[in-house]
Amino acid sequence: MKTITINPVTRVEGHAKITIKLNDEGLVEKASLHVLQFRGFEKFCQGRPYTEMPGLTARTCGICPVSHLISSSKAADNLLAVSIPRTGANLRRIVNLAQIAQSHALNFFYLSAPDLLLGFDSDPSKRNVFGALESHSEIVKAGIGIRSFGQRIIERIGGGKRIHPIAIVPGGMRKPLDPQVRADILAELPIHLKAAVKTLGWFKKSLSQYREEARVFANYPTLFLGLVGENGEIEHYDGKVRVIDHTGKIVADKLEPSDYQQYIGESVEEDSYLKSPYYKPLGYPKGAYRVGPLARLNIADKLGTPIAEEEFAEFKQIERGPVLSSFYYHYARLIEIIYAFEKIDELLNDEDILSPHIRARAEPSRYEGVGMSEAPRGTLLHHYKIDKNGLIEWVNMIIASGHNNLAMNHGVEQAAKRFVDGNHITEGALNRVEAVIRAFDPCLSCSTHALGKMPLRIELYDHGGVLIDEKSR
């Protein structure tokens, strides 16, 4: 049996490889995604004060630190047993939405658009953001502007830093919103909202070019999971968990995030450090589900902002039930950028947003706390246990990219079987297999985990780069 290895998987956050196994006829029998890095935050946070957890866990990653700040602070709120003031919660919402907009722009315009603008079979030396900028400068510059705007919102409300902001803390926010910051953001916002709408218009017109990719990019029946609001509306900061099946039937609704261990199980595969969570009532691996922008649009009844709501209605016309192809993560991502900007505008125009009442102060009242929010890539959960001195005894984090692990593996195999011919291997075919992973936009640094015996492989090379020995367990 012959094996093709794609190592590293490019234009994703983190380190991973894909192996494709071919039979004697050159047909793909199996393909798998392997995540090669390991972080171990759940272990080395033990013994630290719970107040340090937002800052510590945000260092898991430089791409989505805001998301960890939000979930970690919510877990700490839970330890304090406080309800944070409305203005404090809304300032957190704005920062979280800015994070979603800038992170979606990073994936779409920098990492995935080169395939869409230049073609999956284009010259790989040009198939990058610089090549795309050269040939489609208006679209790419719009994306750079959207990302920069999102980062500046984080910087100005989040405490002076675009990456690892410091203003989100247990109990609320460190400081109230400056009126001039509000005015500046509101003045610039229409420019980037218009750019996002224009980009979505271009993407919808180009969809007919990608029918084959849409047909096999993890296009299969799974569950979808995420947070929704009280009335079934999309929700990124708070809310309860909803699970639907591939027909759109609600399997479970209004599940409490703090009860997650009753409905989410965690498994691991021997060849990857990425967790494989699953919906417990259906078992492993039958309980595979997807999270993130595609899942959020599939489970929500409405979005609730004018332009995004119109686009949401059109998106729902793709299929009678939930949209199953993971290629449409790109479509959902662009709608969420529009939603994020419209929602930020709505929140900033609430006069209460300038209130100085933004933080609740208390000592820990519980020994255990859970925080859940929606990160750009999907549902993010932090769960802490502390001792009587407020020191961390135990940590569990379920990261958005991990939820999608089973679906990503199914997707790379589905795409490999469609595009890879073992007797005539082309670069474009292998690029399409990688592009399945890009559609999910995984943040692999955050999501690694191991249970039980940790797989380990050591390779020893000489000075010429020749492999001379290897050990594994």
Short mmCIF file of all heavy atoms in Angstrom, two decimals, residues 273 454-461 467-473:
data_model
loop_
_atom_site.label_atom_id
_atom_site.label_comp_id
_atom_site.label_asym_id
_atom_site.label_seq_id
_atom_site.Cartn_x
_atom_site.Cartn_y
_atom_site.Cartn_z
N TYR A 273 -3.04 14.68 18.35
CA TYR A 273 -3.22 15.31 19.66
C TYR A 273 -4.51 16.12 19.74
O TYR A 273 -4.75 16.79 20.73
CB TYR A 273 -2.04 16.23 19.95
CG TYR A 273 -0.74 15.51 20.23
CD1 TYR A 273 0.42 15.89 19.60
CD2 TYR A 273 -0.68 14.46 21.14
CE1 TYR A 273 1.62 15.24 19.85
CE2 TYR A 273 0.49 13.80 21.40
CZ TYR A 273 1.65 14.20 20.75
OH TYR A 273 2.82 13.56 21.00
N MET A 454 -0.03 9.06 26.23
CA MET A 454 0.19 10.08 25.21
C MET A 454 1.04 9.52 24.08
O MET A 454 2.16 9.06 24.31
CB MET A 454 0.89 11.27 25.84
CG MET A 454 0.87 12.51 25.00
SD MET A 454 1.42 13.91 25.98
CE MET A 454 2.82 14.43 25.05
N PRO A 455 0.53 9.54 22.84
CA PRO A 455 1.35 9.03 21.74
C PRO A 455 2.57 9.92 21.53
O PRO A 455 2.49 11.13 21.65
CB PRO A 455 0.40 9.09 20.55
CG PRO A 455 -0.63 10.10 20.92
CD PRO A 455 -0.74 10.05 22.41
N LEU A 456 3.70 9.31 21.23
CA LEU A 456 4.94 10.07 21.05
C LEU A 456 5.78 9.41 19.98
O LEU A 456 5.90 8.18 19.93
CB LEU A 456 5.71 10.11 22.37
CG LEU A 456 7.04 10.86 22.37
CD1 LEU A 456 6.81 12.36 22.19
CD2 LEU A 456 7.79 10.62 23.68
N ARG A 457 6.35 10.21 19.09
CA ARG A 457 7.22 9.69 18.04
C ARG A 457 8.45 10.58 17.96
O ARG A 457 8.35 11.80 17.87
CB ARG A 457 6.48 9.70 16.70
CG ARG A 457 7.28 9.12 15.55
CD ARG A 457 6.50 9.28 14.24
NE ARG A 457 7.20 8.69 13.12
CZ ARG A 457 7.09 7.42 12.74
NH1 ARG A 457 6.28 6.63 13.42
NH2 ARG A 457 7.76 6.95 11.70
N ILE A 458 9.62 9.98 18.05
CA ILE A 458 10.87 10.72 17.97
C ILE A 458 11.63 10.24 16.74
O ILE A 458 11.81 9.03 16.54
CB ILE A 458 11.73 10.50 19.24
CG1 ILE A 458 11.01 11.07 20.46
CG2 ILE A 458 13.10 11.16 19.07
CD1 ILE A 458 11.73 10.79 21.77
N GLU A 459 12.06 11.19 15.90
CA GLU A 459 12.85 10.86 14.71
C GLU A 459 14.21 11.51 14.85
O GLU A 459 14.32 12.70 15.19
CB GLU A 459 12.13 11.36 13.45
CG GLU A 459 10.78 10.67 13.22
CD GLU A 459 10.05 11.22 12.01
OE1 GLU A 459 10.37 12.35 11.60
OE2 GLU A 459 9.16 10.52 11.49
N LEU A 460 15.27 10.75 14.60
CA LEU A 460 16.66 11.25 14.72
C LEU A 460 17.27 11.36 13.33
O LEU A 460 17.32 10.37 12.58
CB LEU A 460 17.47 10.29 15.60
CG LEU A 460 18.93 10.69 15.86
CD1 LEU A 460 19.01 12.00 16.63
CD2 LEU A 460 19.64 9.57 16.63
N TYR A 461 17.72 12.58 12.98
CA TYR A 461 18.31 12.83 11.66
C TYR A 461 19.80 13.15 11.81
O TYR A 461 20.21 13.76 12.81
CB TYR A 461 17.62 14.00 10.97
CG TYR A 461 16.18 13.73 10.58
CD1 TYR A 461 15.14 13.90 11.49
CD2 TYR A 461 15.86 13.28 9.29
CE1 TYR A 461 13.82 13.64 11.14
CE2 TYR A 461 14.55 13.02 8.93
CZ TYR A 461 13.53 13.20 9.86
OH TYR A 461 12.23 12.95 9.51
N LEU A 467 17.23 10.34 7.91
CA LEU A 467 16.66 9.71 9.09
C LEU A 467 17.49 8.48 9.45
O LEU A 467 17.65 7.56 8.64
CB LEU A 467 15.20 9.30 8.80
CG LEU A 467 14.46 8.59 9.93
CD1 LEU A 467 14.24 9.52 11.12
CD2 LEU A 467 13.11 8.06 9.43
N ILE A 468 18.03 8.47 10.69
CA ILE A 468 18.89 7.35 11.06
C ILE A 468 18.27 6.49 12.16
O ILE A 468 18.69 5.37 12.40
CB ILE A 468 20.29 7.83 11.50
CG1 ILE A 468 20.18 8.85 12.66
CG2 ILE A 468 21.04 8.44 10.33
CD1 ILE A 468 21.54 9.27 13.20
N ASP A 469 17.27 7.01 12.87
CA ASP A 469 16.60 6.19 13.89
C ASP A 469 15.26 6.82 14.24
O ASP A 469 15.07 8.02 14.06
CB ASP A 469 17.46 6.10 15.15
CG ASP A 469 17.02 4.94 16.05
OD1 ASP A 469 16.15 4.15 15.62
OD2 ASP A 469 17.55 4.83 17.18
N GLU A 470 14.35 5.99 14.70
CA GLU A 470 13.05 6.50 15.14
C GLU A 470 12.49 5.60 16.22
O GLU A 470 12.71 4.39 16.23
CB GLU A 470 12.07 6.62 13.97
CG GLU A 470 11.82 5.35 13.22
CD GLU A 470 10.93 5.59 11.99
OE1 GLU A 470 9.99 6.38 12.11
OE2 GLU A 470 11.20 4.99 10.95
N LYS A 471 11.82 6.23 17.17
CA LYS A 471 11.17 5.51 18.25
C LYS A 471 9.76 6.04 18.40
O LYS A 471 9.51 7.22 18.21
CB LYS A 471 11.92 5.71 19.58
CG LYS A 471 13.37 5.21 19.57
CD LYS A 471 13.44 3.71 19.57
CE LYS A 471 14.90 3.24 19.66
NZ LYS A 471 14.99 1.76 19.48
N SER A 472 8.85 5.16 18.78
CA SER A 472 7.48 5.61 19.02
C SER A 472 6.88 4.80 20.15
O SER A 472 7.34 3.71 20.47
CB SER A 472 6.65 5.48 17.75
OG SER A 472 6.56 4.12 17.36
N ARG A 473 5.84 5.37 20.76
CA ARG A 473 5.09 4.63 21.78
C ARG A 473 3.60 4.88 21.59
O ARG A 473 3.22 5.87 20.95
CB ARG A 473 5.52 5.06 23.18
CG ARG A 473 5.07 6.47 23.53
CD ARG A 473 5.38 6.82 24.96
NE ARG A 473 4.78 8.11 25.29
CZ ARG A 473 5.01 8.79 26.41
NH1 ARG A 473 5.88 8.31 27.27
NH2 ARG A 473 4.40 9.93 26.65
#
